[in-house]
Amino acid sequence: MNYCSQCGNSVEIKVPEGDNRERHVCDSCGTIHYQNPNVVTGCIPEWEGKILLCRRAIEPRKGYWTLPAGFLENGESTQEGALRETLEEANARVAVGPLYSLFSLPSISQVYMLFRGPLLDLDFSPGEESLEVRLFEEAEIPWDELAFQVIVETLKCYFQDQRSGEFRLHSGVIERLPGEQRRYRTTLHE
Amino acid sequence: MNYCSQCGNSVEIKVPEGDNRERHVCDSCGTIHYQNPNVVTGCIPEWEGKILLCRRAIEPRKGYWTLPAGFLENGESTQEGALRETLEEANARVAVGPLYSLFSLPSISQVYMLFRGPLLDLDFSPGEESLEVRLFEEAEIPWDELAFQVIVETLKCYFQDQRSGEFRLHSGVIERLPGEQRRYRTTLHE
């Protein structure tokens, strides 16, 4: 951020009075430009013990598999966002159920919320952002080709719960470890 | 938003290619300025069946009572944010427990997350943004002087669960109804 989106003058980085963090502040009009994490909301679409995954047609992680999910938009609820993303990415209709996983991803300032979502029918197909959409049994999950660690962690919890027959909310933090490689540390709050 | 925060030129409102919503777009450098909901994270500080509330020293709703909560910051987890807000607003230390309520507030594009938080000690006091901080039994809760509807709904659920002895996650949507008066419609997802 270089310029004030209100008045167009330059912004500088400083700690505003009464605050304890650096913000982008416009010295001309006084606007403080806060930057805060985004919510990613989505579904675990379910059908007779199988779950639906989408193969990404866009970056990041093009070609890798993920659950239908995306940024929550202004003016919608987290459940509405989960429903919309599932429709957009998989042309699939679900009954959005309870929140299943809640992960903080502080290294990229995102909060991921994934809801259980029984499919209402089998009439699904790739949306514009997907190359392929299909149902997977646990044994078929392409663990090494999942797009994001938050999807890996959610599906690990999901299939454990499926075996025990008791589904409950799982929450935690996923931190990316330093270095070029994709390595993470996950802390689950039990 | 009038100006591009990247290059300082004017932005216009239009639907970018491949999108289906209006965004602020810079025709000069091409940056799309997305605006998304914010997360508010906080605690329900508990001590022997009582809960801690803070009387707000700042607008909005100065002088009204609320749970310690505030905007999640970049680089922190939702639990870390809840802990920080409780420390900042009430100088209180809690053991952040499970997520207790998750409310979408689409009319102001916020997602509220409140965690249970047993107090570690009784050494609390008003922070800079609070006029007063104290513990309340259910019968003492100042229902007509609570700052926000999301606090009303969360505390209603909380004391019902306290009576039944079974605490669980409550989630829902709170919509503000049109008009000058503060009137809301709450939908709980059960």
Side-chain angles (χ1 to χ4, degrees), chain B residues 7-173:
Chain B
C7 76
N9 280 289
S10 303
V11 291
E12 61 167 331
I13 295 176
K14 65 175 185 183
V15 180
E17 208 187 308
D19 201 341
N20 50 25
R21 285 175 191 247
E22 289 191 330
R23 315 281 180 186
H24 290 86
V25 180
C26 178
D27 270 341
S28 185
C29 74
T31 302
I32 303 169
H33 299 278
Y34 295 95
Q35 293 180 307
N36 297 89
N38 277 324
V39 173
V40 178
T41 182
C43 274
I44 309 172
E46 307 162 332
W47 184 270
E48 295 178 357
K50 298 178 181 179
I51 62 139
L52 179 147
L53 296 177
C54 306
R55 200 152 73 84
R56 291 173 64 81
I58 54 169
E59 296 294 351
R61 304 290 279 162
K62 185 175 169 177
Y64 288 80
W65 292 90
T66 192
L67 291 164
F71 290 116
L72 182 65
E73 297 279 3
N74 279 355
E76 72 182 359
S77 71
T78 54
Q79 281 90 344
E80 284 168 347
L83 198 77
R84 174 182 53 73
E85 289 290 343
T86 307
L87 193 59
E88 284 180 3
E89 299 189 355
N91 292 308
R93 284 146 300 281
V94 290
V96 180
L99 182 65
Y100 182 72
S101 72
L102 169 65
F103 280 103
S104 295
L105 282 50
S107 39
I108 51 172
S109 294
Q110 288 182 359
V111 176
Y112 244 85
M113 295 185 196
L114 295 165
F115 294 82
R116 293 184 65 193
L119 283 161
L120 298 182
D121 55 61
L122 288 177
D123 177 22
F124 54 76
S125 60
E128 277 192 19
E129 299 182 358
S130 305
L131 295 169
E132 197 179 341
V133 173
R134 54 163 284 210
L135 290 170
F136 290 84
E137 288 184 7
E138 181 180 1
E140 301 169 320
I141 297 287
W143 293 101
D144 295 335
E145 292 166 48
L146 293 179
F148 308 112
Q149 190 64 21
V150 64
I151 305 300
V152 175
E153 301 294 344
T154 296
L155 293 184
K156 272 163 54 181
C157 292
Y158 184 86
F159 288 111
Q160 272 172 24
D161 285 359
Q162 194 179 68
R163 283 192 296 272
S164 76
E166 254 187 74
F167 288 91
R168 62 175 184 84
L169 173 66
H170 297 266
S171 77
V173 181

Side-chain angles (χ1 to χ4, degrees), chain A residues 22-35:
Chain A
E22 289 191 330
R23 315 280 181 186
H24 290 87
V25 180
C26 177
D27 270 341
S28 184
C29 76
T31 301
I32 303 168
H33 299 277
Y34 296 95
Q35 292 180 307

Side-chain angles (χ1 to χ4, degrees), chain A residues 15 19 48 50 55 65 74 76-77 80 87 99 102 106 111 127 132 134 137 148 154 160 163 172 177 180:
Chain A
V15 180
D19 201 340
E48 296 179 354
K50 299 178 181 178
R55 200 152 72 84
W65 293 90
N74 278 355
E76 72 182 0
S77 71
E80 285 169 346
L87 194 58
L99 182 65
L102 170 66
V111 176
E132 195 180 344
R134 54 163 283 209
E137 288 183 8
F148 308 114
T154 296
Q160 272 173 23
R163 283 192 296 271
L177 300 177
E180 294 275 304

Side-chain angles (χ1 to χ4, degrees), chain A residues 54-103:
Chain A
C54 307
R55 200 152 72 84
R56 291 174 63 82
I58 54 170
E59 295 295 349
R61 304 291 281 161
K62 186 175 170 178
Y64 288 80
W65 293 90
T66 191
L67 290 164
F71 290 117
L72 181 65
E73 297 279 3
N74 278 355
E76 72 182 0
S77 71
T78 53
Q79 282 90 344
E80 285 169 346
L83 199 75
R84 175 183 53 72
E85 289 289 344
T86 307
L87 194 58
E88 285 178 4
E89 298 189 355
N91 291 309
R93 285 146 299 281
V94 291
V96 180
L99 182 65
Y100 182 71
S101 72
L102 170 66
F103 280 103

